[in-house]
Amino acid sequence: MEMKPDLTLDLKGLLCPMPVVKINQAIKNVPIGGIIEAYATDPGVMADIPAWCRSTGNELVTIEKQDKVIRFVVRRLK
Amino acid sequence: MALEQVAEVTATHSEREVQNRLSMVVFSGDMDRLMAAFIIATGAAASGMDVTMFFTFWGLQAIKKQTPTGRSLFGRMLGVFLKDINGVGPSRMNFGGLGRWMFKKMMRAHNVTSLPELRQLAAELGVRMLACQMSMEVMEIRREDLIDEVQDVVGVATFLEEASRSKITLFI
């Protein structure tokens, strides 16, 4: 069972580099250990959000595509 | 060399070790290449990197105000053709400005962040924008002709120092 997110982001309609820029801004607003849930439509997100998590040292809890909407959950680790 | 001196030199060298930085020369003044430059810069800054963009020659158009430049006859002639970030066209298929118009329209239709917005975003994300002193002299562009977001006007040694401790260096 997933934890309740501290913040939910709507990134639908945004293209590169905005999803990464927005998640980077948003993660500063949750405490360490906190969780962000986001919805996006840019297919590039499937590769870019995992890459962003590896670069910044945050945890990708889940990323899944349902129809055209991609839902992902990130936990702030630092 | 005395031991303390050796230690000192070693310390200086280790400070120069590669850090989580990206240094970029922006030479091109083409809309498409500038899009690539600013997308990489903002993406890197959003991924926690320290980013420096060094604008030279045609790239200066990306950080120029819309004011006429030049003092001499040739300088003023050049100034007539220099654009600002809103006026630059794509490297191919510009067709005297038609291509620029078409690309702008298509990018808006696909909800892509515009070039001026990307530059603003870069500044907000702390991307360091530097201008090349030498090309400014040649092209007769003054500091006042550049946008306020430009942090400094520098030379090749400054860029090389930055680049030597960067994980990623690019020439666009």
Side-chain angles (χ1 to χ4, degrees):
Chain A
M1 189 62 199
E2 253 176 42
M3 284 169 68
K4 194 178 164 294
D6 296 84
L7 198 66
T8 299
L9 278 183
D10 181 8
L11 308 174
K12 292 197 283 288
L14 295 180
L15 288 179
C16 177
M18 296 316 293
V20 167
V21 170
K22 293 283 183 196
I23 190 89
N24 186 60
Q25 283 166 347
I27 203 137
K28 291 169 190 154
N29 298 326
V30 303
I32 289 172
I35 279 179
I36 295 184
E37 174 192 47
Y39 295 88
T41 48
D42 173 15
V45 156
M46 291 299 289
D48 272 18
I49 291 300
W52 177 84
C53 288
R54 289 191 295 271
S55 298
T56 55
N58 291 298
E59 184 193 341
L60 181 64
V61 180
T62 177
I63 183 160
E64 68 213 349
K65 197 170 180 179
Q66 297 156 337
D67 287 323
K68 286 192 171 159
V69 177
I70 298 159
R71 176 182 172 271
F72 63 87
V73 176
V74 171
R75 182 181 283 118
R76 180 177 178 184
L77 292 186
K78 52 173 145 180
Chain B
M1 209 187 279
L3 241 140
E4 301 89 282
Q5 275 178 303
V6 175
E8 210 172 297
V9 171
T10 318
T12 327
H13 274 268
S14 62
E15 273 168 32
R16 289 229 181 121
E17 266 171 21
V18 173
Q19 296 162 7
N20 197 21
R21 285 169 178 269
L22 182 153
S23 304
M24 198 189 290
V25 176
V26 184
F27 179 88
S28 172
D30 295 327
M31 172 209 249
D32 40 12
R33 293 198 170 97
L34 289 171
M35 283 292 292
F38 279 108
I39 287 172
I40 295 167
T42 50
S47 302
M49 298 186 90
D50 283 329
V51 183
T52 300
M53 300 175 91
F54 180 79
F55 295 87
T56 186
F57 267 89
W58 308 115
L60 288 172
Q61 294 176 108
I63 50 169
K64 206 177 88 37
K65 289 179 191 161
Q66 211 186 356
T67 50
T69 56
R71 292 183 309 275
S72 70
L73 175 64
F74 287 161
R76 288 201 304 269
M77 274 167 60
L78 178 68
V80 171
F81 294 101
L82 288 180
K83 313 276 194 212
D84 69 346
I85 200 161
N86 295 296
V88 290
S91 60
R92 300 185 60 186
M93 300 198 272
N94 192 22
F95 306 125
L98 189 68
R100 179 183 70 230
W101 175 81
M102 190 194 76
F103 267 112
K104 278 189 179 177
K105 249 189 133 48
M106 287 180 76
M107 289 196 290
R108 205 170 307 137
H110 290 281
N111 205 21
V112 173
T113 313
S114 74
L115 196 43
E117 285 169 344
L118 281 171
R119 184 181 69 185
Q120 185 55 40
L121 189 62
E124 285 167 16
L125 289 169
V127 170
R128 208 153 77 101
M129 299 192 225
L130 306 176
C132 166
Q133 177 75 67
M134 190 275 276
S135 47
M136 285 171 67
E137 290 296 328
V138 173
M139 299 169 101
E140 299 182 4
I141 296 170
R142 300 162 304 170
R143 176 65 187 89
E144 308 91 87
D145 299 325
L146 301 179
I147 57 168
D148 297 338
E149 286 83 350
V150 173
Q151 289 192 359
D152 213 350
V153 178
V154 301
V156 67
T158 307
F159 174 74
L160 289 173
E161 188 191 20
E162 281 287 327
S164 70
R165 50 199 183 110
S166 297
K167 259 185 191 169
I168 303 175
T169 52
L170 297 172
F171 186 98
I172 297 180

